[in-house]
Amino acid sequence: MRLAQYNVARMAYALDADEMAGFRELLDPIHKAGDESPGFVWRFKGADGDYALDVRPPDGDVQILVAMTVWETLEDLMSFMRGSHFEAFRRRREWFVKGSGENVCWWVTDDHRPTIEEGEAKLALFRLHGSTQEAFAMRKAFPAPPEEGT
């Protein structure tokens, strides 16, 4: 089993606004670091290339950015978050509405690549029930269930 994570955040400005320049400048180094991080498996990419900046949640809200990745373990994701990603996380209030960021994790089979719809469903489940085996916060994680047939 591998760990999927989906996160959303509401931008405080339009993506192409001058106020978002610092965020846009961090995209290449953060994605490169993530792609090269131990335990990284996959990240969702949109139709516009290497990022998912053109993708919105199913409701079409143009101020919401989404991101989704798959990792070997929770520890691998946490290591990336505390390392290469920390600068962007520390500066998030420059670019995103305070309190708008949400993150949810869940376990997937080794070959599964989640969809935005799946991420939204897991986020909805998390909003409704909090951390459960099916959808949880990184700080309240559940262990991977045994794979079927094992």
Side-chain angles (χ1 to χ4, degrees), residues 56-63:
R56 297 294 178 266
D59 69 5
D61 189 333
V62 297
Q63 287 302 109

Side-chain angles (χ1 to χ4, degrees), residues 12-56:
Y13 311 96
L15 185 58
D16 60 356
D18 291 344
E19 293 88 352
M20 295 294 284
F23 172 76
R24 292 189 309 269
E25 290 166 5
L26 286 174
L27 287 173
D28 282 336
I30 287 174
H31 283 98
K32 183 178 186 325
D35 291 351
E36 296 172 356
S37 290
F40 172 80
V41 175
W42 172 87
R43 74 180 154 89
F44 180 83
K45 298 177 183 180
D48 284 351
D50 202 33
Y51 309 127
L53 299 176
D54 60 318
V55 178
R56 297 294 178 266

